[in-house]
Amino acid sequence: MNKEEIEQAKHYYQILEENITELSVEEQGKPYRPCAIDCVKDFVYKELKRQFDECEGDLDLQYTKYGRSEYFFADIIEKGRVYEMGYPRCLCPTVISGFTKAPVHCECSRQSILYVLQKLLPDKEIEVETIETVLSGSEKCRFRVTVQ
């Protein structure tokens, strides 16, 4: 792609995301879900699954042991039920490459967390709430997770 084509693609992406912001919060997840899954299914999910299995399906143990890295953090708010997790900086290649700056794009991260936890805990109801994100002006991305 030449520079003009890249700028056209960025503009197209910006228009899409501006229109996504007009959808309900529930509907916003639908266009991001397939991309979120594609982003995490190979490496991220497999590594988190390895950790989860090593910790015998105990998220509290997993987050105590693996909940801090340069790429991810997880804090236990209420054992077995409520967690805060996220990223110390934006790690999204679409953001880093300059294709988007829209805060609604962080729905992709929310969907990726939801996907991974639904795969790890298929018999539980998982809720993921966005607390703050880099694209909304914060220094880090934080999500509140409730497991029921």
Side-chain angles (χ1 to χ4, degrees), residues 32-43:
Y32 288 106
R33 180 83 174 179
C35 295
I37 292 169
D38 190 59
C39 184
V40 300
K41 69 179 171 48
D42 293 324
F43 178 75

Side-chain angles (χ1 to χ4, degrees), residues 83-110:
Y83 307 90
E84 279 190 13
M85 58 184 64
Y87 317 102
R89 64 185 186 285
C90 184
L91 301 170
C92 176
T94 308
V95 173
I96 293 168
S97 68
F99 268 84
T100 187
K101 296 180 230 165
V104 72
H105 188 78
C106 301
E107 176 63 22
C108 189
S109 291
R110 191 183 81 78

Side-chain angles (χ1 to χ4, degrees), residues 9-82:
K10 285 180 182 179
H11 182 69
Y12 177 80
Y13 208 86
Q14 179 183 359
I15 291 168
L16 283 175
E17 289 192 316
E18 284 173 2
N19 282 280
I20 291 170
T21 63
E22 295 178 17
L23 300 172
S24 70
V25 174
E26 182 180 302
E27 290 290 313
Q28 288 176 3
K30 289 181 181 179
Y32 288 106
R33 180 83 174 179
C35 295
I37 292 169
D38 190 59
C39 184
V40 300
K41 69 179 171 48
D42 293 324
F43 178 75
V44 174
Y45 170 70
K46 288 178 182 175
E47 174 58 18
L48 292 174
K49 172 81 167 114
R50 182 198 67 73
Q51 294 172 8
F52 186 73
D53 290 345
E54 178 187 309
C55 295
E56 298 179 359
D58 184 335
L59 281 183
D60 295 337
L61 180 58
Q62 181 180 359
Y63 294 158
T64 298
K65 187 171 183 177
Y66 294 107
R68 288 277 178 257
S69 77
E70 65 179 296
Y71 305 108
F72 175 78
F73 61 85
D75 296 319
I76 302 164
I77 305 302
E78 182 183 320
K79 284 187 171 215
R81 198 172 117 59
V82 181

